Structures are given as C-alpha cells and as structure tokens.
Amino acid sequence: IHDLLNRLVKDAPAAKAAIDIACHDVTAKKLGVPVYQLIGGRYHDKFRITHVLSIAEPEEMARVAALKVEEGYNSFKMKVGRDVASDVARIHAVRKAVGNSVAIRVDVNQGWQNSANTLQALTALQHMQIDWLEQPVVANDIDAMVEIKSKTTVPVMIDEGLCGIRDMREIVAKRAADKVNIKLMKCGGIYPAVKLAAMAEMAGIECQIGSMLESSIGSAAGFHVAFSKKIITSVELTGPLKFSQDIGDLKNCYHIPFIELNVKAGLGVEINEDVLAQLTSRKVVVC
C-alpha cells in the first residue's frame, strides 16, 4: 500500500499516515491483538508523560511549571526559540522554579538558526542539567548539528530535520545526533516509523515518538510504535490531554506522570460517534 501511495502522490505524509493507521487497526482487530503485537510485541510497560511548556515570558513559564510539578509531573519540554538571551532567561527561571530533580528538555524549533548561536546558548546553560536540546538550527542544516554535537556534552535531538529514510541515512552517516524525534505525521505512519526506528537502532541512536497534537487515534498509533521498540526511550504524545473534545478515549490511559496502554485489539481506542459527527465538516463515502 505504501509503495502504491508513494508512486501516486509525492509527500502528503499525514494523509498517508491516516491510511496506514487504519490498515494497522483493522488488521490487528481481525487478528484479535493490539497493534504493537503486529510490529514486534510489547517491550515497555509505561512511559513518563512530559508536559510541554508553551513559550512565554520567563516568569509565566516558571509559574506554570511549578503548578504542574504539584500535579505530579516530573518532566518538562520547554518551547523556546525567540532569541538566545531571552531563551536562556526562560530556562533559568524554570529550573529555579522546579528544582534539580525534574527533567527539562529544551525544544528550540530551529529558532537559534545556526551553530554559533546554539553554542553561545549552551555555554550559558552549562549548569542547567538539560536532558537534551532539540532542533536548535534550521531543519536542513545537518552539518550544523554535527558541529554542535561535537562541541557539547548536552545530548542533541533532531526533529524537523528528520522526515524520512533519506534524512535518517544522512543523520546516521554523519553521526549528527544523539537522539531523533520520529513523528508519524511527518514520516507517513506506523510502517515508516518502524523502519526509521530500526535504522536508528542499528546506529545506536535513541528515539522519541513525538506529537503533532493528534487526537486519540493518531496518538494511540504513536504509542503502539513506542511501546514495541527498545530503542524508543521517550514519548511526547500529549494531544488528548489538550483537546476540549476528542473523538476517542485514549485520555483514560494517562495516569500522571505515566502513560500505560490497554491490551484491547487494534489501537485500543473507542470512538465517540456523537463527537465525531459534531467535529465533521464534510463526509465522503468511498465505495
């Protein structure tokens, strides 16, 4: 199916992911097993939930972080990327608010642009105990990631710079990252994500399954990939926690600070047809 899709349509990975996820769900239901059994079995029992701190003024990010620690979170992903000076202030403020025992991952979303700015920031953050630094430079500058990785002890993760097999091949060949962020909506679904994880595992590069803020369906698909692979050591699938309305019930699997999958067949998600009808703007029946 993927071969056919790729011949007919260039790119459009999220649309291909929808078809891919549906195929895995219906096949697993036919066999009476969870999707993770189709792709390798269940390796992990649970994952920590990382709360994403949206970019704001340092004081506001610190305030929200402190509240989330009280709720039970012990891991944060900080969104930064405005400029080095203000971003350093944000990270310092959050670290001061949550203490040293809470994990902080910093996602720059390409905002520091180049290796010079990134290394300047890392010098100012050398005592902040950052778990890892995600995509500080523009997506297509793999060589800048190589330089940063060679000059810091902070692990670096590639996100926007990884969309498919060609990117992963270059990342592996150049040893451009300690970690990669695999997103099903970027690569085309479960099947391509499993291939990327296998390539990373052969190179000893840890993986994370990331989020484009999908609903219960897309998030469950990501979790099934994550739970089935040893090399996937973290997840960042928080869409269902942020939705005011969701067509599925995956939220029931979140038990802060952990996420645990059920053992139902397929994706393990029950669809709320009433919510689906409310959120549907156009319906097409394909015969």
Side-chain angles (χ1 to χ4, degrees), residues 2-64:
H2 273 284
D3 286 343
L4 177 61
L5 290 172
N6 292 334
R7 286 198 301 270
L8 293 174
V9 180
K10 181 177 174 59
D11 299 325
K16 293 174 182 177
I19 297 171
D20 168 289
I21 291 167
C23 289
H24 279 88
D25 184 45
V26 72
T27 303
K29 284 177 177 174
K30 178 71 174 178
L31 296 173
V33 299
V35 166
Y36 57 72
Q37 292 290 4
L38 298 181
I39 55 177
R42 184 163 179 163
Y43 181 82
H44 301 280
D45 290 325
K46 58 186 177 181
F47 277 103
R48 290 190 181 277
I49 303 170
T50 297
H51 179 76
V52 180
L53 290 171
S54 299
I55 190 167
E57 292 303 309
E59 298 78 11
E60 175 62 13
M61 295 183 78
R63 184 189 70 80
V64 173

Side-chain angles (χ1 to χ4, degrees), residues 110-228:
Q110 309 176 71
W112 294 343
Q113 298 187 357
N114 56 50
S115 58
N117 291 336
T118 301
L119 292 170
Q120 181 185 23
L122 286 169
T123 298
L125 296 169
Q126 56 184 331
H127 300 302
M128 287 296 102
Q129 296 174 267
I130 295 172
D131 268 24
W132 62 74
L133 182 70
E134 183 177 342
Q135 199 64 56
V137 301
V138 293
N140 60 1
D141 197 348
I142 299 297
D143 289 334
M145 293 295 290
V146 173
E147 181 181 4
I148 293 162
K149 181 174 177 290
S150 70
K151 294 180 178 179
T152 182
T153 57
V154 175
V156 293
M157 173 185 282
I158 289 180
D159 178 5
E160 287 87 353
L162 172 61
C163 293
I165 289 175
R166 183 179 298 176
D167 299 325
M168 183 66 87
R169 189 183 298 127
E170 183 179 3
I171 291 164
V172 169
K174 294 182 175 180
R175 302 295 299 172
D178 301 290
K179 301 172 182 285
V180 292
N181 197 7
I182 299 172
K183 295 179 178 176
L184 274 62
M185 299 305 130
K186 284 194 307 179
C187 70
I190 293 172
Y191 179 67
V194 169
K195 291 169 79 172
L196 292 177
M199 293 175 70
E201 186 168 31
M202 287 189 290
I205 299 173
E206 290 185 10
C207 302
Q208 172 176 279
I209 296 295
S211 171
M212 308 282 279
L213 291 182
E214 293 87 8
S215 70
S216 284
I217 296 174
S219 297
F223 278 126
H224 279 273
V225 176
F227 274 79
S228 70

